């Protein structure tokens, strides 16, 4: 039924429009948020719970492993290898100079041309604070004990350690007379060799094959000083006897000076030893066997005493056993890493802030801007010259690129790859769209060929095949050949990304430019490329990130970049062989952090300047 | 007005001469024996049905399209394959497009100063001074720092006019400058064009705005199927059209 309107039906708006109001506020507490986003329906709730359980379980596993079990010593004792490979130790200052210069320039550049989001600053500050605070706090966490297994058949070792004046050391003998003790969790550093014996014994006790009931060992413990004289106190020499009447006990003593000490363990051979026992030493440090640390120790404490059957409190001989507490994770794993990182990072942060402040304050000054530009233009040649040096130079002796490794090499390969492949990629993309058939087909064939083969074949080609055909290339060192290989590979992919960007530029843009009298070169560089490149920033950065990760493939060709260096570390120091996992995880974390930073920067680039404005 | 007319008759030479221009797209004959002379300071409005070749014709004049037969001579220079000629011609001819074609990655100011700076090698400061004057002239002095995407269609088209004028061209080509605009914005663009005509600019305008044609044009040219069907003063066109095609076209459009 159609409604009927009569003359009296009309509407006229009041002459004044109503005042604008704010939109209504919808109340959403945390519960409302949860309900709306996580538990909006039965299926969604299930999905939320399922994913939540999976994520939490995974996190729990990862964290509990890395806190309780993982041995990060392979990382913190090899930071130098990881950062610069086999770069000449005496020349490390050159790396530091280059890194410092680059950090300063980065700060300067960001200060002048970019706005650094506050969240980035806060994140950096918090990380720095953590890195500084953890080692300080962990100094107050006592060292875990050291366990030495005393075997019935072997002469007990003489334990050699360094101690500080006033340090109170406790030694305990813990005979294994009780089968239940076998299962007791050990926590601390256990002599590496003995761990196996111990598990065997544990199994035997468990299976009832070994009877520890008639434990019969007699030991005399004495503490000797650097010159192997017994350590004296007011009450006489520091020593203790453990025998059948006194099977387990404690010996506590205070060290008189900063020096080397020996804990001498002698067994009374008249007794018939049948059982095993742990000698447990509290409050003595397991010291690092790193060469430079050993050197520092020798400088401070002198040479270690010469005793027979010596067992040094070196990490080479010990392994941490048992589930670590979080405190111990802090003091044993994080603190050594952070204390090694703290100073370089602090200096880096200071340089960065310096640069940044100069940049922000001098933004308007033409000289500052020009200085920054010149600095960046010179950064690369400067770095290479400083890193490589010259043959026969005294200040900068030659460090062959074969010695460059670790993160240094990874970054170098990436930077060279990116800077060289970018112009080549753009040129290839333009060439592929060229009207000249020869140019066009050359570019197309190159791009398609390179994209059609795996990177590793390109690298092997650069290593083996190219010098075979073209003998002039044999003399170019492997690192440079890898750079060329990576660059060409990356350029081909980049060309396709750029071509995608070129295709979306409307014809009208080119016509407008031509109608204004711009020649083809100006049209391309001023109108087409800026728009095309901006449109494909995500793809280009993605390409650069994969280039960064792909540099790891040069490990297969014989260069020791970040991934390859782990193999070298383990090969050179077999004690770290069981901990490759930790090393590779650390490497993965570095890759992730850098990749994430790159994609974050690209996201910021996309939305800066004209990119933030709605497009035509 | 009369004085202006007299001046135009005195001007010695036509600034644009098209003789028997022919053009094909593949086998499709777009322009058929088009001949037209335009005197300096003259405003010629080109009308005609869609697909009749109006755009193609004016795009031939600054050689965005190439003609295959006949001659086009602009300001005494014949359009040929000689690259140097083309550059010389283009910098004397400004062009305004239906879709504005502003450069979205550059600010309004940079859009306008781009060609003077890079083609004429004018110092940045001078170019910006001129650009700001032009923006004032087209009525949007306060939009210089914005990006094209932040402007309304009418404002964008006026920026496009300013951009073309920044090269100080002798001739301006307009290809349906108001067709992509909302009715409210058409007037602001037409006003700018009217003012430009009053300053004595030589203009070739493709448009469907009959009011503008009647008021501003010295001559109106009707295109159909690639040829000129009728040509005359606005008075002639609107009061006394001769050709059947013209009568039909005008009856449809008015
Ligand atoms: N690049 C091209 N290739 C092939 N044919 C084309 C091309 N450009 C235009 N044409 C054809 O040429 C004819 C004339 O086109 P033109 O754009 O000059 O017409 P117009 O008069 O400007 O029409 P409108 O009023 O719709 O803009 C049309 O039939 C069109 O389909
Ligand atoms: Mg058209």
């Amino acid at each position: 039924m159609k409604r009927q309107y009569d003359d009296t039906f009309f509407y006229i708006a009041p002459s004044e429009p109503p005042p604008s109001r704010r939109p209504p506020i919808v109340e959403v507490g945390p519960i409302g948020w949860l309900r709306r986003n996580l538990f909006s329906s039965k299926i969604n709730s299930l999905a939320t719970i399922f994913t939540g359980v999976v994520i939490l379980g995974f996190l729990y596993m990862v964290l509990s492993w890395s806190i309780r079990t993982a041995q990060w010593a392979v990382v913190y004792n090899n930071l130098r290898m990881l950062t610069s490979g086999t770069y000449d130790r005496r020349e490390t200052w050159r790396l530091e100079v280059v890194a410092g210069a680059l950090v300063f320039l980065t700060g300067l550049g960001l200060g002048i041309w970019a706005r650094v989001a506050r969240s980035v600053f806060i994140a950096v500050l918090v990380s720095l604070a953590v890195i500084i605070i953890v080692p300080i706090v962990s100094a107050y966490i006592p060292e875990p004990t050291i366990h030495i297994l005393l075997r019935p058949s072997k002469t007990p070792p003489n334990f050699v350690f360094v101690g500080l004046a006033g340090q109170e050391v406790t030694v305990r003998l813990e005979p294994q007379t009780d089968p239940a003790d076998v299962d007791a969790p050990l926590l601390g550093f256990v002599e590496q060799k003995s761990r196996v014996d111990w598990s065997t014994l544990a199994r035997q006790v468990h299976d009832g094959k070994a009877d520890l009931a008639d434990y019969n060992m007699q030991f005399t413990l004495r503490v000797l000083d650097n010159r192997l004289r017994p350590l004296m106190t007011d009450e006489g020499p520091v020593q203790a006897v453990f025998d059948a009447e006194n099977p387990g006990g404690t010996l506590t003593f205070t060290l008189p000076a900063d020096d080397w000490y020996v804990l001498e363990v002698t067994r009374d051979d008249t007794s018939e030893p049948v059982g095993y026992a742990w000698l447990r030493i509290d409050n003595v440090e397991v010291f690092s066997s790193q060469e430079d640390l050993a050197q520092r120790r020798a400088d401070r404490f002198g040479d270690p005493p010469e005793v027979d059957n010596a067992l040094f409190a070196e990490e080479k001989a010990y392994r941490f056993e048992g589930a670590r507490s979080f405190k111990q994770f802090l003091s044993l794993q994080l603190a050594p890493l952070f204390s090694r990182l703290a100073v370089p990072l602090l200096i880096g942060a200071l340089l960065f802030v310096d640069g940044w402040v100069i940049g922000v304050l001098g933004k308007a000054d033409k000289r500052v801007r020009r200085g920054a530009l010149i600095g960046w233009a010179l950064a690369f040649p400067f770095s290479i010259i400083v890193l490589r040096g010259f043959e026969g130079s005294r200040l900068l002796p030659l460090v062959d690129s074969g010695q460059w490794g670790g993160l240094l090499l990874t970054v170098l390969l990436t930077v060279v790859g990116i800077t060289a492949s970018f112009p080549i990629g753009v040129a290839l993309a333009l060439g592929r769209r060229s009207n000249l058939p020869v140019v066009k087909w050359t570019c197309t064939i190159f791009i398609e060929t390179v994209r059609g083969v795996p990177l590793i074949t390109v690298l092997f080609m650069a290593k083996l095949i190219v010098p075979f055909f073209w003998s002039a290339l044999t003399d170019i060192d492997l690192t440079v050949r890898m750079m060329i290989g990576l660059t060409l590979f990356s350029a081909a992919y980049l060309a396709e990304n750029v071509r995608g960007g070129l295709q979306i530029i409307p014809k009208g843009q080119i016509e407008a430019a031509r109608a204004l009298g711009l020649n083809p070169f100006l049209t391309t560089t001023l109108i087409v490329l800026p728009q095309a490149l901006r449109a494909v920033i995500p793809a280009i950065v993605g390409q650069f990130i994969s280039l960064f990760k792909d540099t790891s493939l040069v490990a297969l060709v014989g260069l020791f970049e970040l991934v390859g260096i782990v193999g070298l570390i383990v090969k050179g120091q077999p004690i770290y062989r069981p901990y490759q996992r930790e090393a590779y995880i650390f490497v993965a974390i570095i890759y992730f952090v850098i990749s994430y930073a790159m994609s974050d920067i690209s996201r910021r680039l996309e939305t800066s300047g004209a990119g933030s404005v709605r497009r035509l | 007005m009369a004085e202006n007319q007299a001046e135009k008759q005195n001007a010695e030479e036509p600034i644009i001469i098209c003789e028997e221009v022919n053009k094909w797209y593949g086998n499709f004959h777009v322009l058929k024996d088009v001949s037209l002379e335009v005197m300096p300071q003259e405003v010629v409005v080109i009308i005609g049905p869609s697909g009749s070749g109006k755009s193609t014709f004016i795009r031939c004049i600054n050689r965005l399209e190439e003609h295959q037969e006949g001659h086009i001579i602009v300001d005494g220079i014949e359009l040929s394959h000689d690259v140097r000629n083309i550059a010389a011609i283009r910098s004397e001819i400004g062009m305004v497009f239906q879709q504005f074609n502003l450069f979205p990655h550059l600010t309004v100011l940079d859009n306008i100063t781009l060609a003077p700076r890079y083609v004429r090698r004018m110092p940045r400061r001078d170019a910006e001074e001129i650009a700001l004057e032009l923006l004032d002239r087209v009525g949007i002095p306060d939009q210089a720092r914005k990006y094209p995407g932040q402007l309304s269609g009418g404002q964008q088209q006026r920026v496009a006019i300013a951009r073309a004028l920044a090269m100080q061209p002798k001739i301006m080509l307009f290809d349906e400058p108001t067709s992509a605009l909302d009715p409210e914005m058409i007037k602001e663009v037409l006003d700018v064009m009217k003012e430009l005509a009053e300053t004595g600019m030589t203009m070739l305008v493709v448009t469907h705005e009959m009011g503008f044609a009647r008021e501003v044009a010295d001559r109106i040219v009707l295109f159909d199927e690639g040829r000129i069907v009728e040509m005359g003063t606005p008075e002639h066109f609107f009061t006394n059209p001769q050709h059947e095609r013209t009568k039909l076209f005008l009856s449809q459009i008015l």
Side-chain angles (χ1 to χ4, degrees):
Chain A
M1 252 284 272
K2 206 172 170 192
R3 208 160 141 192
Q4 298 293 317
Y5 296 101
D6 61 13
D7 293 353
T8 61
F9 183 88
F10 56 80
Y11 169 79
I12 299 171
S15 55
E16 288 292 312
S20 297
R21 290 182 297 127
R22 293 178 160 276
I25 297 162
V26 185
E27 290 283 347
V28 268
I31 295 189
W33 185 89
L34 284 179
R35 180 163 297 159
R36 211 187 287 174
N37 293 293
L38 299 179
F39 301 103
S40 55
S41 74
K42 260 185 201 150
I43 292 193
N44 286 359
S45 309
L46 271 183
T48 300
I49 291 170
F50 177 74
T51 340
V53 167
V54 168
I55 291 175
L56 288 181
F58 179 74
L59 271 185
Y60 177 78
M61 272 161 52
V62 169
L63 282 182
S64 102
W65 176 78
S66 35
I67 291 174
R68 296 155 68 95
T69 326
Q71 296 286 348
W72 299 101
V74 61
V75 171
Y76 60 69
N77 281 336
N78 288 298
L79 282 177
R80 188 165 290 170
M81 287 278 268
L82 287 168
T83 46
S84 56
T86 51
Y87 196 91
D88 195 334
R89 288 275 158 107
R90 286 158 302 173
E91 304 293 329
T92 353
W93 67 270
R94 283 150 66 170
L95 291 169
E96 286 154 9
V97 165
V98 167
L102 292 181
V103 166
F104 177 80
L105 280 176
T106 308
L108 188 62
L110 287 178
I112 295 177
W113 293 295
R115 271 191 39 217
V116 184
R118 200 185 303 157
S119 59
V120 175
F121 262 115
I122 293 176
V124 170
L125 275 185
V126 169
S127 327
L128 264 184
V130 168
I131 284 174
I132 292 164
I133 287 170
V134 165
I136 294 175
V137 168
S138 70
Y140 296 96
I141 300 173
E143 285 283 325
T145 55
I146 293 171
H147 293 264
I148 300 169
L149 186 66
L150 301 178
R151 303 180 187 89
S153 52
K154 287 195 179 127
T155 320
N158 292 314
F159 181 69
V160 183
F161 61 97
V162 292
L164 305 177
Q167 187 176 338
E168 193 173 83
V169 179
T170 309
V171 181
R172 279 195 196 96
L173 191 73
E174 297 179 341
Q176 294 302 331
T177 52
D178 179 1
D181 267 8
V182 176
D183 292 333
L186 265 180
L187 184 79
F189 295 96
V190 176
E191 198 194 346
Q192 287 217 328
K193 287 177 278 182
S194 65
R195 186 64 202 161
V196 183
D197 285 0
W198 179 247
S199 345
T200 320
L201 172 72
R203 213 172 318 119
Q204 286 173 356
V205 170
H206 229 111
D207 301 347
K209 285 182 199 151
D211 185 7
L212 296 177
D214 38 40
Y215 167 82
N216 184 15
M217 283 171 126
Q218 290 186 11
F219 294 103
T220 307
L221 263 50
R222 282 203 307 164
V223 183
L224 310 178
D225 69 8
N226 194 6
R227 267 168 271 161
L228 304 182
R229 291 170 312 201
L231 196 65
M232 300 298 284
T233 59
D234 302 340
E235 291 126 43
V238 180
Q239 64 175 28
V241 178
F242 300 113
D243 55 19
E245 280 118 64
N246 184 22
T250 307
L251 172 64
T252 304
F253 50 94
T254 308
L255 303 178
D258 297 4
D259 206 350
W260 288 94
Y261 295 93
V262 179
L263 177 65
E264 185 197 54
V265 186
T266 42
R267 180 160 55 203
D268 179 1
D269 282 335
T270 57
S271 65
E272 280 281 303
V274 285
Y276 288 74
W278 287 112
L279 183 64
R280 173 179 153 180
I281 306 163
D282 282 285
N283 204 16
V284 163
E285 257 179 85
V286 171
F287 47 74
S288 169
S289 54
Q290 277 287 92
E291 217 172 292
D292 52 338
L293 293 177
Q295 187 57 47
R296 238 181 282 166
R297 199 162 54 237
D299 291 345
R300 178 155 177 211
F301 297 99
D303 290 330
E306 286 174 22
V307 272
D308 294 338
N309 197 17
L311 184 64
F312 281 84
E314 267 183 327
E315 61 194 11
K316 256 184 200 153
Y318 291 91
R319 196 176 134 173
F320 193 87
E321 286 292 337
R324 223 181 269 128
S325 67
F326 185 70
K327 266 191 194 167
Q328 271 147 354
F329 170 70
L330 283 189
S331 71
L332 294 171
Q333 304 287 321
L334 272 192
L337 176 64
F338 286 177
S339 63
R340 286 167 170 89
L341 291 179
V343 173
L345 285 185
L346 257 186
I347 295 177
L350 281 180
L351 283 171
F352 179 88
V353 170
D354 276 358
W356 186 75
V357 169
I358 294 177
V360 169
L361 296 182
K363 208 181 280 191
D365 191 337
K366 208 167 195 172
R367 280 169 307 172
V368 174
R369 287 202 308 262
R370 189 167 301 161
L373 275 183
I374 293 174
W376 272 112
L378 294 181
F380 185 70
F382 168 80
S383 308
I384 294 296
I385 289 172
V386 172
L387 289 178
R388 190 167 185 282
F390 306 96
E391 205 140 4
S393 157
R394 186 164 323 153
L395 179 65
L396 296 174
L398 184 73
V399 180
D400 189 74
S401 63
Q403 291 183 41
W404 304 2
L407 186 60
L408 168 68
L409 184 57
T410 297
V411 169
L412 202 71
L413 289 173
T414 312
V415 169
V416 170
I418 288 177
T419 38
S421 71
F422 187 73
I424 298 178
V426 171
L428 282 171
L430 292 172
R432 195 170 180 173
R433 282 165 59 100
S434 156
N435 295 327
L436 307 172
V438 177
V439 174
K440 181 178 174 150
W441 286 109
T442 313
C443 292
T444 309
I445 290 172
F446 175 83
I447 292 171
E448 294 306 330
T449 312
V450 173
R451 273 161 44 95
V453 298
L455 173 55
I456 189 68
T457 57
V458 175
L459 297 182
F460 272 115
M461 195 125 85
K463 179 179 180 174
L464 304 168
I465 303 175
V466 169
F468 181 75
F469 284 117
W470 193 0
S471 57
L473 286 179
T474 325
D475 293 339
I476 299 181
D477 61 38
L478 190 57
T479 314
V480 175
R481 272 186 271 157
M482 289 305 108
M483 285 174 182
I484 295 173
L486 284 167
T487 301
L488 294 183
F489 188 79
S490 167
Y493 279 87
L494 204 70
E496 285 301 278
N497 287 333
V498 173
R499 195 167 67 105
L502 293 175
Q503 268 163 353
I504 63 160
I505 303 302
K507 223 170 142 232
Q509 291 288 309
I510 298 163
E511 283 174 357
R514 283 166 60 198
L516 284 169
L518 297 179
N519 60 32
F521 175 77
L522 287 176
T523 306
T524 306
T525 50
L526 296 177
I527 306 300
V528 178
L529 278 182
Q531 295 185 59
L533 293 179
R534 185 184 280 276
V536 293
I537 284 176
I540 291 181
V541 175
Q543 170 59 33
F544 287 159
I545 290 176
S546 56
L547 171 66
F548 168 60
K549 292 183 295 185
D550 285 347
T551 56
S552 55
L553 284 175
V554 305
L556 297 179
V557 189
L559 290 183
F560 300 108
E561 46 62 71
L562 205 43
V563 170
I565 200 75
V566 175
L568 198 65
I569 289 172
V570 171
K571 205 167 151 201
Q573 305 165 77
I575 52 155
Y576 293 126
R577 189 171 288 281
Y579 311 121
Q580 289 180 56
R581 223 177 342 185
E582 284 85 344
Y584 282 120
I585 287 175
F586 181 74
V587 165
I589 291 173
I590 296 184
Y591 274 109
F592 171 78
V593 168
I594 297 181
S595 303
Y596 185 82
M598 281 163 85
S599 67
D600 189 66
I601 290 171
S602 100
R603 252 173 284 135
R604 286 171 202 279
L605 259 183
E606 273 163 58
T607 50
S608 70
S612 58
V613 173
R614 110 184 107 100
R615 289 181 63 85
L616 279 177
Chain B
M1 210 38 180
E3 210 179 69
N4 211 353
Q5 210 78 358
E7 205 178 282
K8 276 179 192 177
Q9 256 130 44
N10 286 348
E12 343 68 70
E13 287 279 304
I15 192 163
I16 303 174
I17 303 168
C18 300
E19 275 173 12
E20 313 265 298
V21 173
N22 279 284
K23 175 170 178 62
W24 290 262
Y25 283 124
N27 286 330
F28 177 56
H29 202 167
V30 210
L31 298 181
K32 299 168 186 164
D33 290 337
V34 178
S35 297
L36 179 72
E37 293 190 353
V38 180
M39 302 303 284
Q41 308 201 332
E42 199 178 4
V43 177
V44 176
V45 167
I46 300 173
I47 58 176
S50 181
S52 56
K54 309 179 296 284
S55 298
T56 309
F57 174 64
I58 69 165
R59 287 157 62 86
C60 280
I61 291 172
N62 68 350
R63 215 170 168 76
L64 284 180
E65 305 284 354
E66 287 176 21
H67 60 285
Q68 283 124 321
E69 276 182 9
H71 302 276
I72 300 178
I73 299 159
V74 178
D75 201 22
I77 306 172
E78 160 125 36
L79 298 192
S80 64
H81 291 286
D82 193 334
V83 178
R84 220 176 314 154
N85 276 0
I86 297 168
I89 300 288
R90 283 198 182 132
S91 55
E92 298 202 346
I93 305 178
M95 181 153 188
V96 176
F97 301 84
Q98 180 176 353
Q99 299 299 337
F100 327 141
N101 293 345
L102 292 178
F103 306 129
H105 61 301
L106 300 177
T107 61
V108 164
L109 199 59
D110 289 338
N111 262 280
I112 301 176
T113 55
L114 184 81
R117 282 173 57 203
Y118 287 93
V119 179
R120 292 238 193 279
R121 310 210 158 277
M122 194 183 280
R124 188 193 188 112
R125 193 165 301 167
D126 299 357
E128 288 189 349
E129 205 168 298
I130 293 175
L132 290 173
E133 265 167 38
L134 284 169
L135 280 176
D136 197 37
R137 199 166 138 196
V138 299
I140 39 173
D142 45 358
Q143 312 285 359
R145 304 283 163 192
K146 288 192 180 166
Y147 285 95
Q150 294 167 305
L151 303 183
S152 75
Q155 290 171 328
Q156 290 191 39
Q157 192 61 296
R158 285 186 280 165
V159 171
I161 295 174
R163 177 175 73 176
L165 290 176
M167 287 294 278
Q168 290 160 331
K170 293 187 181 160
I171 303 162
M172 285 284 285
L173 307 177
F174 293 83
D175 190 358
E176 304 199 26
T178 57
S179 297
L181 297 177
D182 292 342
E184 285 181 40
M185 299 169 184
I186 291 180
K187 185 172 175 296
E188 60 193 42
V189 172
L190 289 182
D191 285 347
V192 169
M193 289 168 62
K194 244 179 253 173
E195 207 194 282
L196 193 60
E198 276 158 23
T199 63
M201 175 65 76
T202 312
M203 291 163 62
L204 243 71
V205 185
V206 176
T207 186
H208 296 299
E209 296 296 325
M210 288 304 144
F212 175 83
R214 189 188 298 228
E215 197 181 331
V216 183
D218 295 305
R219 259 190 301 162
I220 298 180
V221 176
L222 182 83
F223 259 71
D224 187 42
E225 294 182 341
R227 66 196 176 108
I228 295 177
V229 174
E230 191 158 353
M231 172 156 50
T233 61
E235 257 149 73
H236 163 85
F237 247 84
F238 292 109
T239 56
N240 190 20
Q242 298 295 312
H243 200 283
E244 283 308 311
R245 191 70 192 81
T246 316
K247 289 177 191 166
L248 182 68
F249 180 73
L250 288 176
S251 72
Q252 281 166 348
I253 206 165
L254 289 178

